[in-house]
PDB file of all heavy atoms in Angstrom:
ATOM      1  N   LEU A  18     -87.612-176.606 -65.800  1.00 96.00           N
ATOM      2  CA  LEU A  18     -86.785-176.259 -66.948  1.00 96.00           C
ATOM      3  C   LEU A  18     -85.759-177.344 -67.237  1.00 96.00           C
ATOM      4  O   LEU A  18     -85.076-177.825 -66.330  1.00 96.00           O
ATOM      5  CB  LEU A  18     -86.063-174.936 -66.694  1.00 96.00           C
ATOM      6  CG  LEU A  18     -86.961-173.712 -66.465  1.00 96.00           C
ATOM      7  CD1 LEU A  18     -86.124-172.535 -65.976  1.00 96.00           C
ATOM      8  CD2 LEU A  18     -87.707-173.347 -67.741  1.00 96.00           C
ATOM      9  N   THR A  19     -85.631-177.708 -68.499  1.00 95.00           N
ATOM     10  CA  THR A  19     -84.578-178.633 -68.907  1.00 95.00           C
ATOM     11  C   THR A  19     -83.265-177.869 -69.066  1.00 95.00           C
ATOM     12  O   THR A  19     -83.234-176.628 -69.095  1.00 95.00           O
ATOM     13  CB  THR A  19     -84.923-179.296 -70.248  1.00 95.00           C
ATOM     14  OG1 THR A  19     -84.943-178.276 -71.270  1.00 95.00           O
ATOM     15  CG2 THR A  19     -86.283-179.991 -70.185  1.00 95.00           C
ATOM     16  N   THR A  20     -82.183-178.601 -69.171  1.00 93.00           N
ATOM     17  CA  THR A  20     -80.874-177.991 -69.401  1.00 93.00           C
ATOM     18  C   THR A  20     -80.902-177.093 -70.633  1.00 93.00           C
ATOM     19  O   THR A  20     -80.399-175.971 -70.624  1.00 93.00           O
ATOM     20  CB  THR A  20     -79.814-179.097 -69.582  1.00 93.00           C
ATOM     21  OG1 THR A  20     -79.722-179.836 -68.371  1.00 93.00           O
ATOM     22  CG2 THR A  20     -78.455-178.506 -69.918  1.00 93.00           C
ATOM     23  N   ARG A  21     -81.513-177.579 -71.704  1.00 95.00           N
ATOM     24  CA  ARG A  21     -81.556-176.825 -72.957  1.00 95.00           C
ATOM     25  C   ARG A  21     -82.377-175.549 -72.830  1.00 95.00           C
ATOM     26  O   ARG A  21     -82.090-174.537 -73.469  1.00 95.00           O
ATOM     27  CB  ARG A  21     -82.128-177.708 -74.071  1.00 95.00           C
ATOM     28  CG  ARG A  21     -82.003-177.128 -75.474  1.00 95.00           C
ATOM     29  CD  ARG A  21     -82.533-178.105 -76.506  1.00 95.00           C
ATOM     30  NE  ARG A  21     -81.811-179.365 -76.495  1.00 95.00           N
ATOM     31  CZ  ARG A  21     -80.672-179.593 -77.147  1.00 95.00           C
ATOM     32  NH1 ARG A  21     -80.138-178.629 -77.871  1.00 95.00           N
ATOM     33  NH2 ARG A  21     -80.080-180.762 -77.069  1.00 95.00           N
ATOM     34  N   GLN A  22     -83.382-175.566 -71.974  1.00 97.00           N
ATOM     35  CA  GLN A  22     -84.240-174.396 -71.807  1.00 97.00           C
ATOM     36  C   GLN A  22     -83.599-173.289 -70.977  1.00 97.00           C
ATOM     37  O   GLN A  22     -84.053-172.153 -71.012  1.00 97.00           O
ATOM     38  CB  GLN A  22     -85.570-174.814 -71.165  1.00 97.00           C
ATOM     39  CG  GLN A  22     -86.474-175.632 -72.071  1.00 97.00           C
ATOM     40  CD  GLN A  22     -87.693-176.166 -71.337  1.00 97.00           C
ATOM     41  OE1 GLN A  22     -87.599-176.657 -70.210  1.00 97.00           O
ATOM     42  NE2 GLN A  22     -88.844-176.064 -71.965  1.00 97.00           N
ATOM     43  N   LYS A  23     -82.537-173.607 -70.233  1.00 97.00           N
ATOM     44  CA  LYS A  23     -81.950-172.636 -69.314  1.00 97.00           C
ATOM     45  C   LYS A  23     -80.768-171.865 -69.896  1.00 97.00           C
ATOM     46  O   LYS A  23     -80.558-170.706 -69.566  1.00 97.00           O
ATOM     47  CB  LYS A  23     -81.503-173.344 -68.021  1.00 97.00           C
ATOM     48  CG  LYS A  23     -82.649-173.817 -67.154  1.00 97.00           C
ATOM     49  CD  LYS A  23     -82.152-174.660 -65.998  1.00 97.00           C
ATOM     50  CE  LYS A  23     -81.332-173.839 -65.028  1.00 97.00           C
ATOM     51  NZ  LYS A  23     -80.876-174.657 -63.879  1.00 97.00           N
ATOM     52  N   HIS A  24     -79.960-172.516 -70.734  1.00 97.00           N
ATOM     53  CA  HIS A  24     -78.727-171.872 -71.197  1.00 97.00           C
ATOM     54  C   HIS A  24     -78.472-172.145 -72.673  1.00 97.00           C
ATOM     55  O   HIS A  24     -78.820-173.203 -73.199  1.00 97.00           O
ATOM     56  CB  HIS A  24     -77.511-172.382 -70.407  1.00 97.00           C
ATOM     57  CG  HIS A  24     -77.523-172.015 -68.966  1.00 97.00           C
ATOM     58  ND1 HIS A  24     -78.002-172.852 -67.977  1.00 97.00           N
ATOM     59  CD2 HIS A  24     -77.120-170.878 -68.330  1.00 97.00           C
ATOM     60  CE1 HIS A  24     -77.891-172.253 -66.806  1.00 97.00           C
ATOM     61  NE2 HIS A  24     -77.364-171.060 -66.995  1.00 97.00           N
ATOM     62  N   ILE A  25     -77.807-171.171 -73.308  1.00 97.00           N
ATOM     63  CA  ILE A  25     -77.289-171.310 -74.670  1.00 97.00           C
ATOM     64  C   ILE A  25     -75.764-171.335 -74.588  1.00 97.00           C
ATOM     65  O   ILE A  25     -75.159-170.658 -73.746  1.00 97.00           O
ATOM     66  CB  ILE A  25     -77.737-170.125 -75.551  1.00 97.00           C
ATOM     67  CG1 ILE A  25     -79.255-170.138 -75.746  1.00 97.00           C
ATOM     68  CG2 ILE A  25     -77.027-170.127 -76.903  1.00 97.00           C
ATOM     69  CD1 ILE A  25     -79.792-168.862 -76.367  1.00 97.00           C
ATOM     70  N   ARG A  26     -75.146-172.110 -75.450  1.00 97.00           N
ATOM     71  CA  ARG A  26     -73.690-172.110 -75.588  1.00 97.00           C
ATOM     72  C   ARG A  26     -73.321-171.396 -76.892  1.00 97.00           C
ATOM     73  O   ARG A  26     -73.779-171.791 -77.968  1.00 97.00           O
ATOM     74  CB  ARG A  26     -73.137-173.545 -75.634  1.00 97.00           C
ATOM     75  CG  ARG A  26     -73.491-174.403 -74.424  1.00 97.00           C
ATOM     76  CD  ARG A  26     -72.647-174.069 -73.238  1.00 97.00           C
ATOM     77  NE  ARG A  26     -72.844-174.997 -72.128  1.00 97.00           N
ATOM     78  CZ  ARG A  26     -72.329-174.842 -70.925  1.00 97.00           C
ATOM     79  NH1 ARG A  26     -71.562-173.787 -70.670  1.00 97.00           N
ATOM     80  NH2 ARG A  26     -72.541-175.720 -69.965  1.00 97.00           N
ATOM     81  N   GLU A  27     -72.510-170.352 -76.798  1.00 97.00           N
ATOM     82  CA  GLU A  27     -72.074-169.631 -77.990  1.00 97.00           C
ATOM     83  C   GLU A  27     -70.560-169.739 -78.118  1.00 97.00           C
ATOM     84  O   GLU A  27     -69.821-169.377 -77.188  1.00 97.00           O
ATOM     85  CB  GLU A  27     -72.506-168.169 -77.945  1.00 97.00           C
ATOM     86  CG  GLU A  27     -72.221-167.424 -79.249  1.00 97.00           C
ATOM     87  CD  GLU A  27     -72.860-166.051 -79.302  1.00 97.00           C
ATOM     88  OE1 GLU A  27     -73.209-165.509 -78.223  1.00 97.00           O
ATOM     89  OE2 GLU A  27     -73.030-165.510 -80.409  1.00 97.00           O
ATOM     90  N   CYS A  28     -70.106-170.233 -79.274  1.00 97.00           N
ATOM     91  CA  CYS A  28     -68.686-170.531 -79.469  1.00 97.00           C
ATOM     92  C   CYS A  28     -68.086-169.654 -80.571  1.00 97.00           C
ATOM     93  O   CYS A  28     -68.702-169.481 -81.634  1.00 97.00           O
ATOM     94  CB  CYS A  28     -68.503-172.003 -79.861  1.00 97.00           C
ATOM     95  SG  CYS A  28     -69.343-173.181 -78.782  1.00 97.00           S
ATOM     96  N   PHE A  29     -66.903-169.127 -80.305  1.00 98.00           N
ATOM     97  CA  PHE A  29     -66.151-168.363 -81.296  1.00 98.00           C
ATOM     98  C   PHE A  29     -64.861-169.133 -81.566  1.00 98.00           C
ATOM     99  O   PHE A  29     -64.021-169.293 -80.670  1.00 98.00           O
ATOM    100  CB  PHE A  29     -65.867-166.953 -80.782  1.00 98.00           C
ATOM    101  CG  PHE A  29     -67.114-166.124 -80.623  1.00 98.00           C
ATOM    102  CD1 PHE A  29     -67.882-166.198 -79.467  1.00 98.00           C
ATOM    103  CD2 PHE A  29     -67.545-165.300 -81.655  1.00 98.00           C
ATOM    104  CE1 PHE A  29     -69.038-165.451 -79.330  1.00 98.00           C
ATOM    105  CE2 PHE A  29     -68.709-164.547 -81.529  1.00 98.00           C
ATOM    106  CZ  PHE A  29     -69.461-164.631 -80.365  1.00 98.00           C
ATOM    107  N   VAL A  30     -64.742-169.625 -82.793  1.00 98.00           N
ATOM    108  CA  VAL A  30     -63.708-170.607 -83.122  1.00 98.00           C
ATOM    109  C   VAL A  30     -62.776-170.072 -84.204  1.00 98.00           C
ATOM    110  O   VAL A  30     -63.242-169.574 -85.237  1.00 98.00           O
ATOM    111  CB  VAL A  30     -64.343-171.930 -83.602  1.00 98.00           C
ATOM    112  CG1 VAL A  30     -63.262-172.966 -83.922  1.00 98.00           C
ATOM    113  CG2 VAL A  30     -65.310-172.470 -82.542  1.00 98.00           C
ATOM    114  N   VAL A  31     -61.465-170.206 -83.955  1.00 97.00           N
ATOM    115  CA  VAL A  31     -60.454-169.891 -84.971  1.00 97.00           C
ATOM    116  C   VAL A  31     -60.005-171.216 -85.586  1.00 97.00           C
ATOM    117  O   VAL A  31     -59.355-172.025 -84.914  1.00 97.00           O
ATOM    118  CB  VAL A  31     -59.248-169.165 -84.357  1.00 97.00           C
ATOM    119  CG1 VAL A  31     -58.198-168.883 -85.438  1.00 97.00           C
ATOM    120  CG2 VAL A  31     -59.682-167.879 -83.677  1.00 97.00           C
ATOM    121  N   PRO A  32     -60.371-171.481 -86.847  1.00 97.00           N
ATOM    122  CA  PRO A  32     -59.978-172.756 -87.460  1.00 97.00           C
ATOM    123  C   PRO A  32     -58.548-172.701 -87.999  1.00 97.00           C
ATOM    124  O   PRO A  32     -58.039-171.630 -88.348  1.00 97.00           O
ATOM    125  CB  PRO A  32     -60.980-172.903 -88.605  1.00 97.00           C
ATOM    126  CG  PRO A  32     -61.300-171.492 -88.999  1.00 97.00           C
ATOM    127  CD  PRO A  32     -61.227-170.666 -87.731  1.00 97.00           C
ATOM    128  N   GLU A  33     -57.929-173.850 -88.027  1.00 97.00           N
ATOM    129  CA  GLU A  33     -56.638-173.948 -88.698  1.00 97.00           C
ATOM    130  C   GLU A  33     -56.850-173.823 -90.210  1.00 97.00           C
ATOM    131  O   GLU A  33     -57.948-174.081 -90.723  1.00 97.00           O
ATOM    132  CB  GLU A  33     -55.972-175.292 -88.367  1.00 97.00           C
ATOM    133  CG  GLU A  33     -55.590-175.425 -86.897  1.00 97.00           C
ATOM    134  CD  GLU A  33     -55.016-176.797 -86.576  1.00 97.00           C
ATOM    135  OE1 GLU A  33     -55.091-177.691 -87.471  1.00 97.00           O
ATOM    136  OE2 GLU A  33     -54.519-176.973 -85.457  1.00 97.00           O
ATOM    137  N   GLU A  34     -55.812-173.419 -90.909  1.00 95.00           N
ATOM    138  CA  GLU A  34     -55.920-173.242 -92.358  1.00 95.00           C
ATOM    139  C   GLU A  34     -56.297-174.564 -93.016  1.00 95.00           C
ATOM    140  O   GLU A  34     -55.685-175.605 -92.756  1.00 95.00           O
ATOM    141  CB  GLU A  34     -54.592-172.722 -92.935  1.00 95.00           C
ATOM    142  CG  GLU A  34     -54.672-172.332 -94.397  1.00 95.00           C
ATOM    143  CD  GLU A  34     -53.392-171.688 -94.906  1.00 95.00           C
ATOM    144  OE1 GLU A  34     -52.521-171.372 -94.071  1.00 95.00           O
ATOM    145  OE2 GLU A  34     -53.286-171.510 -96.138  1.00 95.00           O
ATOM    146  N   GLY A  35     -57.332-174.526 -93.856  1.00 96.00           N
ATOM    147  CA  GLY A  35     -57.761-175.721 -94.570  1.00 96.00           C
ATOM    148  C   GLY A  35     -58.606-176.681 -93.758  1.00 96.00           C
ATOM    149  O   GLY A  35     -58.945-177.769 -94.237  1.00 96.00           O
ATOM    150  N   ALA A  36     -58.981-176.312 -92.536  1.00 96.00           N
ATOM    151  CA  ALA A  36     -59.757-177.201 -91.675  1.00 96.00           C
ATOM    152  C   ALA A  36     -61.176-177.383 -92.206  1.00 96.00           C
ATOM    153  O   ALA A  36     -61.726-176.509 -92.894  1.00 96.00           O
ATOM    154  CB  ALA A  36     -59.800-176.650 -90.256  1.00 96.00           C
ATOM    155  N   ASP A  37     -61.766-178.519 -91.889  1.00 97.00           N
ATOM    156  CA  ASP A  37     -63.142-178.828 -92.283  1.00 97.00           C
ATOM    157  C   ASP A  37     -64.097-178.165 -91.284  1.00 97.00           C
ATOM    158  O   ASP A  37     -64.307-178.661 -90.177  1.00 97.00           O
ATOM    159  CB  ASP A  37     -63.336-180.355 -92.278  1.00 97.00           C
ATOM    160  CG  ASP A  37     -64.706-180.767 -92.818  1.00 97.00           C
ATOM    161  OD1 ASP A  37     -65.649-179.957 -92.737  1.00 97.00           O
ATOM    162  OD2 ASP A  37     -64.830-181.916 -93.275  1.00 97.00           O
ATOM    163  N   LEU A  38     -64.667-177.032 -91.673  1.00 97.00           N
ATOM    164  CA  LEU A  38     -65.501-176.260 -90.756  1.00 97.00           C
ATOM    165  C   LEU A  38     -66.758-177.017 -90.347  1.00 97.00           C
ATOM    166  O   LEU A  38     -67.183-176.947 -89.192  1.00 97.00           O
ATOM    167  CB  LEU A  38     -65.883-174.920 -91.393  1.00 97.00           C
ATOM    168  CG  LEU A  38     -64.727-174.017 -91.850  1.00 97.00           C
ATOM    169  CD1 LEU A  38     -65.275-172.643 -92.242  1.00 97.00           C
ATOM    170  CD2 LEU A  38     -63.665-173.874 -90.765  1.00 97.00           C
ATOM    171  N   ALA A  39     -67.358-177.731 -91.282  1.00 97.00           N
ATOM    172  CA  ALA A  39     -68.575-178.487 -90.974  1.00 97.00           C
ATOM    173  C   ALA A  39     -68.278-179.575 -89.939  1.00 97.00           C
ATOM    174  O   ALA A  39     -69.072-179.816 -89.017  1.00 97.00           O
ATOM    175  CB  ALA A  39     -69.157-179.099 -92.240  1.00 97.00           C
ATOM    176  N   ALA A  40     -67.124-180.222 -90.069  1.00 97.00           N
ATOM    177  CA  ALA A  40     -66.757-181.277 -89.128  1.00 97.00           C
ATOM    178  C   ALA A  40     -66.494-180.699 -87.735  1.00 97.00           C
ATOM    179  O   ALA A  40     -66.860-181.310 -86.714  1.00 97.00           O
ATOM    180  CB  ALA A  40     -65.521-182.020 -89.635  1.00 97.00           C
ATOM    181  N   ILE A  41     -65.868-179.522 -87.684  1.00 97.00           N
ATOM    182  CA  ILE A  41     -65.609-178.876 -86.394  1.00 97.00           C
ATOM    183  C   ILE A  41     -66.930-178.525 -85.714  1.00 97.00           C
ATOM    184  O   ILE A  41     -67.128-178.798 -84.527  1.00 97.00           O
ATOM    185  CB  ILE A  41     -64.747-177.608 -86.584  1.00 97.00           C
ATOM    186  CG1 ILE A  41     -63.331-177.984 -87.028  1.00 97.00           C
ATOM    187  CG2 ILE A  41     -64.711-176.790 -85.281  1.00 97.00           C
ATOM    188  CD1 ILE A  41     -62.471-176.788 -87.402  1.00 97.00           C
TER     189      ILE A  41
END
């Protein structure tokens, strides 16, 4: 198994007002 095949990373992010979400 590769690293990618073993685990998923799930992120919950609070952006600052007006932040570029795509860039984050």
